[in-house]
Amino acid sequence: MKAPRTGFSGTQVTEKKKGVIIMARFTLPRDLYYGKGSLEVLKTLKGKKAIVVVGGGSMKRFGFLDKVTSYLQEAGMEVELFENVEPDPSVETVMRGAEAMRKFEPDWIVAMGGGSPIDAAKAMWAFYEYPDTTFEDLITPFNFPELRQKAKFLAIPSTSGTATEVTAFSVITDYSTGVKYPLADFNITPDIAVVDPELATTMPAKLTAHTGMDALTHAIEAYVSTLHSPFTDPLALQAIEMVLDYLPASYNGNMEAREQMHYAQCLAGMAFSNALLGIVHSMAHKTGAAFSTGHIPHGCANAIYLPYVIQYNAKDKEAKSRYAEIARRMGLDGTSEQALVNALCDKIRDFNVRLNIPKTLQEFGIVEEEFKEKVGKIAELAVGDACTGSNPRSITPAEMEKLLTCTYYGTEVDF
Ligand code: FE
């Protein structure tokens, strides 16, 4: 029998400071509607005014924005649109959205699209209800003011990866300083998530591959996180199993598999929203926009780093057992825990090949000179990332530099 988990970190620290009894918390949306056509639930929403926050145009082009508008009107609501939220939404967009909300005074915020419009709408919501708050106030994890004073929040994802429709997270970028504000608070966990697979049928193959590997990374990192719990473990395992079963077919255009992936990423989101993540995400966050050769898509970066990080983390005894459990549950063969960990890494590498994801940063196209020049600084930043705290094995900047170097050349992680 394993030792029960005691002590908490991260999410619970703030509550302790406020003099509240320390307790672990598990939070999800109040309602989750899923299945083809579940979007129609909007017809039954109770309220007076809804603002719809949406991205650059694909939801409009495919007719989903019209559907959302007419369903809300059918529910008797006045509807206003806030369109053109950009990828990696900016502080300015958030402020404009909050201003639009203060003028219109919606009692429902309906956010639809990839991660970006939903993330942006979460931040708009805070500034709508608390106009005097600042990003500096909000970036302290789990320190939001009490939301739902003016509006409730419904999220409709169109990609199968970030799971922001069920998570307590949002990322906003300040382009004037280049700083990304990771916002984390259960107040911004949506009230309702509508997981309608018809929206995900619009994803191109490459986006399907990248977002799918992001979901797999969420589930694996949540399963081995220091904050994993009996509530998050089954969600993570189910998500891993479903991604392994359905991602290649979804990538190849099978829409039944695409539907299952839409649910799998949501399950992974439920797990990591409550168990947090690990250094695969720390590395992806800090390398995503670091090189002059272009952006590394988030899910692609995760997919490249995942097998290397598993080898690094598996030097920790408990983490090794948990990776081995994943491998066993997936039906992989191995006579020792290390053999099972290796089989899990081989499986991920095989997936990357099938999904046309490069094995290394070098193969991705990062220039060697630039990598060498920047890796020290990136390693430092990655260690300081919010996701490092719940990683199962600690890491120093020097070790992080070595690990990143392994992911550049494809060399073995032997430290
Ligand atoms: Fe992610």
Side-chain angles (χ1 to χ4, degrees):
M1 201 180 107
K2 292 188 202 83
R5 295 182 44 72
T6 52
F8 308 108
S9 60
T11 63
Q12 288 78 17
V13 171
T14 332
E15 294 190 271
K16 188 180 183 182
K17 260 193 276 178
K18 287 177 189 161
V20 176
I21 297 167
I22 307 179
M23 59 185 93
R25 179 173 173 180
F26 180 84
T27 299
L28 293 177
R30 169 77 168 74
D31 287 301
L32 195 147
Y33 296 93
Y34 63 95
K36 281 182 198 155
S38 52
L39 202 55
E40 292 199 33
V41 75
L42 296 181
K43 293 177 183 172
T44 64
L45 214 58
K46 305 257 182 303
K48 292 189 179 71
K49 288 180 172 186
I51 190 162
V52 180
V53 180
V54 70
S58 72
M59 289 296 96
K60 199 175 197 167
R61 265 198 319 282
F62 291 107
F64 292 111
L65 184 57
D66 278 350
K67 275 189 184 172
V68 163
T69 307
S70 67
Y71 293 163
L72 289 167
Q73 284 165 343
E74 208 173 305
M77 280 199 250
E78 196 184 327
V79 180
E80 192 169 287
L81 303 182
F82 187 87
E83 293 180 86
N84 299 317
V85 174
E86 69 278 18
D88 297 322
S90 68
V91 168
E92 288 75 26
T93 300
V94 169
M95 293 310 176
R96 277 195 300 112
E99 182 60 34
M101 288 175 188
R102 283 196 291 273
K103 278 196 189 124
F104 181 58
E105 299 191 316
D107 48 7
W108 274 103
I109 297 166
V110 174
M112 81 182 310
S116 298
I118 301 175
D119 274 12
K122 286 175 171 177
M124 290 171 193
W125 187 19
F127 287 100
Y128 166 41
E129 299 207 355
Y130 295 90
D132 297 330
T133 196
T134 64
F135 270 100
E136 279 63 35
D137 295 334
L138 297 183
I139 49 169
T140 308
F142 300 91
N143 195 39
F144 267 54
E146 204 58 34
L147 296 180
R148 297 168 175 78
Q149 311 297 315
K150 295 180 178 168
K152 291 205 265 188
F153 195 102
L154 182 147
I156 311 163
S158 67
T159 59
S160 306
T162 71
T164 183
E165 72 277 9
V166 291
T167 73
F169 310 119
S170 157
V171 183
I172 306 298
T173 306
D174 185 340
Y175 286 92
S176 67
T177 56
V179 174
K180 284 202 175 209
Y181 292 117
L183 309 179
D185 196 287
F186 289 119
N187 265 288
I188 54 171
T189 301
D191 296 281
I192 301 180
V194 179
V195 188
D196 186 333
E198 281 183 351
L199 280 79
T201 60
T202 64
M203 283 194 297
K206 202 170 189 176
L207 186 63
T208 304
H210 292 168
T211 52
M213 289 307 286
D214 187 26
L216 180 65
T217 308
H218 291 157
I220 292 179
E221 293 214 283
Y223 193 72
V224 300
S225 156
T226 57
L227 287 169
H228 77 85
S229 74
F231 302 93
T232 58
D233 286 347
L235 293 163
L237 281 178
Q238 178 70 17
I240 295 165
E241 191 163 3
M242 287 174 76
V243 173
L244 296 184
D245 281 347
Y246 295 111
L247 181 54
S250 172
Y251 174 67
N252 292 320
N254 177 321
M255 289 305 155
E256 265 129 57
R258 187 73 60 87
E259 174 175 0
Q260 296 304 315
M261 275 304 300
H262 210 40
Y263 305 150
Q265 64 88 28
C266 186
L267 290 167
M270 294 177 182
F272 91 81
S273 186
N274 291 284
L276 308 187
L277 294 165
I279 58 171
V280 179
H281 271 77
S282 306
M283 292 157 72
H285 289 155
K286 302 310 186 214
T287 50
F291 302 105
S292 60
T293 36
H295 194 77
I296 312 171
H298 175 69
C300 179
N302 281 334
I304 295 173
Y305 301 147
L306 186 56
Y308 299 93
V309 169
I310 291 176
Q311 293 293 6
Y312 174 81
N313 283 345
K315 302 282 191 297
D316 173 273
K317 204 169 162 290
E318 198 187 328
K320 186 198 264 181
S321 302
R322 291 189 68 81
Y323 289 125
E325 271 175 50
I326 295 173
R328 260 186 229 110
R329 165 86 184 244
M330 301 314 133
L332 301 176
D333 291 328
T335 47
S336 66
E337 283 191 341
Q338 189 57 52
L340 285 160
V341 171
N342 294 345
L344 179 62
C345 291
D346 287 344
K347 182 85 182 168
I348 295 163
R349 287 191 201 101
D350 167 56
F351 258 56
N352 285 345
V353 171
R354 288 159 78 180
L355 301 171
N356 283 310
I357 290 171
K359 283 186 198 63
T360 62
L361 287 178
Q362 187 167 43
E363 207 180 288
F364 181 84
I366 307 296
V367 177
E368 189 173 14
E369 281 311 298
E370 191 182 6
F371 177 80
K372 283 183 176 167
E373 188 189 306
K374 292 184 171 169
V375 64
K377 183 71 194 160
I378 293 172
E380 231 171 81
L381 292 171
V383 169
D385 187 90
C387 292
T388 303
S390 45
N391 193 67
R393 185 182 168 199
S394 64
I395 189 160
T396 63
E399 286 165 334
M400 180 59 90
E401 187 172 333
K402 272 168 87 177
L403 184 56
L404 281 161
T405 303
C406 290
T407 72
Y408 186 85
Y409 296 103
T411 42
E412 185 126 348
V413 180
D414 58 359
F415 54 95

